[in-house]
């Protein structure tokens, strides 16, 4: 009976209502572009244009995802504010090579490409059990630059990075916008890293959905950043979920956040911490415990932010995680629409 109950939890999905968007993709000279890729950032939701450039895609207005339109040899188009009352007409411009100039001089390079790739994998793919089997199909498209004065390693790619994650059953196309690792001295080793960040646009394609893969996905979701924000929006706390603490003492979430449900989103007001040092570097900071064993910390450098339907939010750069949640990178990433079934009205 317990096994049946566990499987039912894995198969449970939240239903969300969306709409269909109709559109057409042209080049600047108004020639239809068949085979253009259209997807919602961070999700598995995608389609391609037909022989006349027409497409239809499902869209949830409460999810606040960027609509991405891409076609080989053309600049990507990004749409954030969609008018659902009328069809989309997209004009694509021929792509220009925007990759920052990388000067290759082996005599001046103090770190090898293999060393740079190793630190890139560590801070982009991650080093967890899920990420161990992850491969990058087009590593040659990734270029690096090391700023010797400021000790910063930067990565660039003009093409989407193609990532295969057999552990979670996804192929991910990741358009890298920013990748930086800052060291405390002239170094390429993780022990000397003081700061790291990456950002970009991603599209997930399911390549395996066996029962084993579904269980792994559920385990990856539980305790993840998206799980935290969905629970925060819904006020879901408990010993088998997330617990907040400060200075080793449990705190009541109602004393930390003011939650207001609005149309398609949740407004979160972070209650300013009262502390004796009058530290104004951030609004609030809390330790997080998940299932009484996974420890993290979260720092809110923003007074008010919004959580959207999928668990993404308006101010992610102002909310900083360390600990277990921060260890989970691309290798542990699930699509934003994980566990959410979109029903079109």
């Amino acid at each position: 009976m317990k096994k049946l109950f566990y499987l039912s939890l894995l198969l449970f999905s939240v239903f969300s209502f969306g709409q269909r968007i109709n559109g057409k993709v042209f080049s600047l000279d108004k020639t239809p572009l068949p085979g253009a890729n259209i997807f919602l950032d961070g999700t598995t939701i995608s389609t391609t244009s037909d022989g006349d450039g027409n497409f239809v895609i499902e869209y949830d207005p409460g999810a606040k995802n960027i609509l991405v339109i891409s076609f080989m040899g053309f600049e990507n188009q990004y749409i954030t504010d969609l008018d659902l009352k009328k069809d989309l007409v997209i004009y694509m411009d021929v792509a220009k090579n925007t990759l920052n100039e990388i000067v290759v001089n082996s005599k001046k390079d103090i770190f090898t490409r293999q060393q740079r790739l190793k630190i890139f994998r560590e801070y982009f793919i991650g080093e967890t059990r899920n990420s161990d089997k992850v491969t990058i199909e087009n590593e040659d498209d990734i270029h690096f630059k090391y700023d010797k004065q400021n000790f910063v390693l930067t990565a660039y790619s003009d093409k989407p990075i193609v990532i295969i994650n057999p552990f979670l059953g996804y192929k991910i196309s990741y358009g890298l916008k920013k990748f930086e690792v800052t060291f405390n001295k002239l170094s390429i080793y993780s022990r000397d890293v003081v700061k790291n960040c990456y950002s970009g646009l991603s599209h997930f394609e399911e390549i395996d959905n066996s029962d084993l893969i579904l269980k792994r996905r559920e385990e990856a979701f539980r305790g993840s950043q998206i799980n935290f924000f969905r629970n925060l929006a819904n006020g879901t706390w408990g010993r088998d979920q997330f617990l907040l603490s400060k200075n080793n003492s449990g705190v009541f979430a109602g004393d930390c956040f003011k939650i207001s449900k609005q149309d398609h989103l949740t407004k979160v007001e972070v209650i300013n911490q009262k502390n004796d040092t009058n530290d104004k570097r951030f609004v609030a900071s809390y330790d997080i415990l998940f299932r009484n064993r996974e420890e993290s910390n979260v720092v809110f450098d923003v007074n008010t932010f919004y959580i959207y339907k999928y668990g993404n939010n308006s101010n992610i750069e102002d909310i900083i995680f360390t600990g277990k949640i921060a260890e989970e990178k691309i290798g542990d990433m699930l699509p934003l629409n994980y566990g959410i079934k979109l029903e079109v009205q």
Side-chain angles (χ1 to χ4, degrees), residues 164-176:
I164 305 297
N165 188 342
F167 195 86
L168 295 178
Y170 289 114
K171 176 180 179 180
I172 307 169
S173 177
Y174 196 96
L176 187 66

Side-chain angles (χ1 to χ4, degrees), residues 104-207:
V104 179
N105 188 333
S106 59
K107 293 183 179 180
K108 293 184 179 181
D109 285 342
I110 58 174
F111 304 120
T112 66
R113 177 171 175 81
Q114 287 69 29
Q115 289 175 308
R116 298 176 190 216
L117 274 171
K118 184 177 184 299
I119 206 76
F120 176 81
R121 281 191 58 90
E122 182 175 346
Y123 287 96
F124 181 67
I125 299 297
E127 291 191 307
T128 66
R129 181 183 66 162
N130 292 354
S131 61
D132 188 49
K133 302 295 184 181
V134 171
T135 59
I136 299 175
E137 287 194 339
N138 57 336
E139 281 188 347
D140 290 344
D141 291 328
I142 304 170
H143 303 273
F144 299 100
K145 184 162 59 176
Y146 195 103
D147 182 342
K148 298 176 185 177
Q149 292 185 329
N150 296 303
F151 316 138
V152 178
L153 175 69
T154 309
Y156 307 90
S157 179
D158 262 356
K159 298 178 181 179
I161 299 173
V162 181
I163 302 155
I164 305 297
N165 188 342
F167 195 86
L168 295 178
Y170 289 114
K171 176 180 179 180
I172 307 169
S173 177
Y174 196 96
L176 187 66
K177 295 296 182 183
K178 181 179 182 180
F179 176 89
E180 289 183 358
V181 176
T182 304
F183 303 84
N184 59 16
K185 61 181 180 180
L186 191 63
S187 170
I188 198 67
Y189 300 107
S190 57
R191 64 174 178 266
D192 299 315
V193 171
V194 294
K195 185 172 62 174
N196 68 93
C197 65
Y198 66 86
S199 62
L201 299 171
S202 59
H203 172 238
F204 287 74
E205 178 184 344
E206 191 173 65
I207 57 175

Side-chain angles (χ1 to χ4, degrees), residues 30-132:
K30 298 185 178 181
T31 300
L33 296 178
N37 294 310
I38 302 97
F39 64 90
L40 295 177
D41 174 42
T43 75
T44 57
I45 302 170
S46 66
T47 189
T48 57
S49 58
D50 65 17
D52 296 318
N54 298 306
F55 69 88
V56 179
I57 191 169
E58 296 176 355
Y59 177 72
D60 187 340
K64 290 291 183 180
N65 296 101
I66 298 172
L67 184 69
V68 183
I69 302 93
S70 67
F71 190 80
M72 183 68 69
F74 289 78
E75 298 283 354
N76 288 352
Q77 294 289 319
Y78 310 105
I79 302 176
T80 54
D81 296 314
L82 290 168
D83 185 351
L84 301 179
K85 295 179 181 179
K86 56 185 179 182
D87 293 351
L88 285 174
V89 180
I90 310 298
Y91 292 98
M92 309 282 285
D93 195 3
V94 175
K96 304 174 184 62
N97 189 349
T98 58
L99 185 65
N100 291 37
E101 183 179 354
I102 308 290
V103 178
V104 179
N105 188 333
S106 59
K107 293 183 179 180
K108 293 184 179 181
D109 285 342
I110 58 174
F111 304 120
T112 66
R113 177 171 175 81
Q114 287 69 29
Q115 289 175 308
R116 298 176 190 216
L117 274 171
K118 184 177 184 299
I119 206 76
F120 176 81
R121 281 191 58 90
E122 182 175 346
Y123 287 96
F124 181 67
I125 299 297
E127 291 191 307
T128 66
R129 181 183 66 162
N130 292 354
S131 61
D132 188 49

